[in-house]
Amino acid sequence: MKHIKTILNSPYFFWLILTLPSIGMINGALNGRDLEELLHPTGEFAARFMIIAMMLTPLRMLFPGARWTAWLMQRRRYLGVAAFGYAALHTLYYVIDLGTLSLVLQDAVRFGIWTGWVAFLIFVPLAMTSNSVSVRTMGKGWGNLQRLVYVAAVATLLHWIFIHNTFGGALVHFLPLVGLEIYRIWKVSSGRKGSEPGQSMA
């Protein structure tokens, strides 16, 4: 039992879980699968991991004594980095599928496309500073930078809606986050409890 607990608490085990969905996506691309078919799952998992990471603070406030929220909070940065990883894969497949820089630039003027680029470009510094060294050296600036995740979340939502021309899938994923964020804002404004320090989306 002790060995099982050690494995479950290992960061390598958690990273394995986060990596599993990408295996089929990468294998499919390497075996000649149409990259356009892989754009949706890579983008969807990027959004999912971002949403889960953002939900953890309000969930921790909602269930302050729960072990599972504490366990996930300790691994929150892993979720953020995983979100960036899937977003990078999504972007890579998109660029390769279009084939030329000229086509990429032409496509970038579309609302559904440039919102995706905004989200991805925000993910980059969030992922790069997702380490303890950055937390210590950046001080308060680190927290301010991490708050850009809210801009990335809105951009991701708009990207999803306008690319697929439907609200269904995007709202199913984002509504729980919106509800929890409303709860967090209410609780903070009521002076009961603020966000926990040293945490981030990425």
Side-chain angles (χ1 to χ4, degrees), residues 121-196:
L121 292 175
I122 292 174
F123 280 156
V124 174
L126 297 185
M128 290 179 64
T129 57
S130 183
N131 54 75
S132 299
V133 174
S134 295
V135 175
R136 291 194 300 268
T137 57
M138 294 179 66
K140 292 182 178 179
W142 184 86
N144 293 331
L145 175 64
Q146 294 298 323
R147 290 188 185 95
L148 287 175
V149 69
Y150 293 102
V151 179
V154 172
T156 300
L157 174 60
L158 293 173
H159 172 66
W160 193 332
I161 290 173
F162 281 86
I163 283 296
H164 295 287
N165 199 28
T166 179
F167 289 88
L171 292 183
V172 166
H173 283 78
F174 278 88
L175 279 179
L177 173 62
V178 172
L180 285 168
E181 282 297 327
I182 291 173
Y183 168 77
R184 181 186 67 82
I185 293 170
W186 168 78
K187 197 160 189 180
V188 170
S189 64
S190 66
R192 301 186 184 189
K193 186 176 181 180
S195 299
E196 298 188 20

Side-chain angles (χ1 to χ4, degrees), residues 23-174:
I23 296 175
M25 302 172 193
I26 295 173
N27 185 61
L30 293 176
N31 284 285
R33 184 177 172 185
D34 187 355
L35 292 181
E36 190 174 357
E37 296 178 4
L38 298 172
L39 291 178
H40 180 67
T42 51
E44 194 170 86
F45 271 97
R48 284 172 179 169
F49 287 134
M50 176 193 68
I51 290 168
I52 294 171
M54 294 179 70
M55 288 172 63
L56 290 181
T57 292
L59 281 173
R60 183 68 168 156
M61 297 168 72
L62 188 60
F63 305 103
R67 292 185 178 181
W68 63 272
T69 55
W71 189 86
L72 284 172
M73 283 292 285
Q74 292 172 358
R75 293 156 179 80
R76 189 179 187 186
R77 294 181 201 169
Y78 302 161
L79 287 163
V81 173
F84 168 74
Y86 282 93
L89 196 61
H90 177 71
T91 304
L92 177 64
Y93 287 173
Y94 164 73
V95 171
I96 294 175
D97 185 53
L98 285 186
T100 67
L101 178 60
S102 176
L103 289 176
V104 171
L105 293 176
Q106 289 177 35
D107 209 33
V109 299
R110 294 169 53 200
F111 184 80
I113 297 298
W114 69 255
T115 47
W117 279 110
V118 168
F120 177 69
L121 292 175
I122 292 174
F123 280 156
V124 174
L126 297 185
M128 290 179 64
T129 57
S130 183
N131 54 75
S132 299
V133 174
S134 295
V135 175
R136 291 194 300 268
T137 57
M138 294 179 66
K140 292 182 178 179
W142 184 86
N144 293 331
L145 175 64
Q146 294 298 323
R147 290 188 185 95
L148 287 175
V149 69
Y150 293 102
V151 179
V154 172
T156 300
L157 174 60
L158 293 173
H159 172 66
W160 193 332
I161 290 173
F162 281 86
I163 283 296
H164 295 287
N165 199 28
T166 179
F167 289 88
L171 292 183
V172 166
H173 283 78
F174 278 88

